[in-house]
Amino acid sequence: KMFAILLVFLLAVIAVIWFFQVMMLDVFYRNAKFGELDNTADLVAQQAQSIEDMENIVHDSAESYFSSIIVFEINDAKASPVIETGQPANSILPFLSKKDMQTLFERAYKNGGSYIATITHPYQDGELDVEMNFEEYTGKSTYFFSRLAQSAVDVRIFDCDGKEYFMIQTADL
């Protein structure tokens, strides 16, 4: 009888550990990754007093959080890249088209200057299919059992040194 009770207890413990590791770890990881991107965006938007400050903060944050960041200066409705970080090997940022970046800017603009999303991007034979599926991040997790990769995206529009900037950050989920 004691062996049966011990076995039931052991199975219950294993089930609880499995649940947290398989079902909840993804949610915790996503929330942490989105938090890192949001913290970086806040840091750049609030503490950068010049383009040099911005560049230092962007490069330090990209290295610390293993993310890709590109910052555009906005002049006369045109965006020109002013800061680009090195891209992690699986970064989605180099594959974003001009239209994708424009869509992200418009969504951030309509949302009061910031926008957070998940981009699902399928890989086919090592090539990236550039048609993107933007989903607003709700904190809910979606599980994919195919060859789909996901990236967290944080977009921010802010002012620095009297100029307007647009920043896109991505990190692999």
Side-chain angles (χ1 to χ4, degrees):
K1 185 176 176 176
M2 182 70 127
F3 180 72
I5 293 172
L6 183 62
L7 186 62
V8 169
F9 177 74
L10 184 63
L11 289 175
V13 169
I14 290 172
V16 168
I17 291 171
W18 175 84
F19 175 77
F20 279 104
Q21 188 165 8
V22 173
M23 303 302 267
M24 301 300 290
L25 189 61
D26 186 54
V27 174
F28 294 134
Y29 177 75
R30 286 173 181 268
N31 288 337
K33 192 54 82 173
F34 278 107
E36 290 170 357
L37 295 178
D38 193 45
N39 289 340
T40 298
D42 288 343
L43 190 65
V44 171
Q46 294 170 2
Q47 292 189 6
Q49 302 297 318
S50 66
I51 191 74
E52 292 81 18
D53 289 345
M54 188 187 316
E55 190 166 4
N56 290 334
I57 294 169
V58 164
H59 284 288
D60 290 346
S61 297
E63 188 177 311
S64 296
Y65 298 131
F66 200 64
S67 62
S68 302
I69 303 174
I70 186 167
V71 179
F72 297 89
E73 183 179 334
I74 301 171
N75 280 326
D76 299 325
K78 291 185 181 179
S80 304
V82 291
I83 302 171
E84 290 185 61
T85 63
Q87 312 297 328
N90 52 358
S91 174
I92 188 66
L93 198 54
F95 297 101
L96 290 178
S97 69
K98 186 176 177 181
K99 183 180 177 191
D100 293 330
M101 290 185 190
Q102 186 174 5
T103 299
L104 289 170
F105 175 81
E106 289 169 358
R107 290 184 181 185
Y109 185 78
K110 288 178 184 175
N111 199 38
S114 66
Y115 179 71
I116 299 173
T118 301
I119 298 178
T120 302
H121 39 97
Y123 288 96
Q124 297 175 347
D125 299 325
E127 297 290 323
L128 184 66
D129 181 353
V130 294
E131 289 186 23
M132 304 296 169
N133 177 20
F134 293 96
E135 299 173 23
E136 289 192 31
Y137 181 66
T138 61
K140 296 180 182 174
S141 180
T142 306
Y143 295 94
F144 293 97
F145 297 102
S146 63
R147 295 178 66 197
L148 295 176
Q150 289 191 315
S151 293
V153 177
D154 187 296
V155 181
R156 193 68 56 104
I157 301 169
F158 60 95
D159 292 326
C160 176
D161 202 22
K163 297 177 183 175
E164 189 173 33
Y165 293 92
F166 163 56
M167 181 172 67
I168 301 174
Q169 300 179 81
T170 64
D172 194 44
L173 293 176

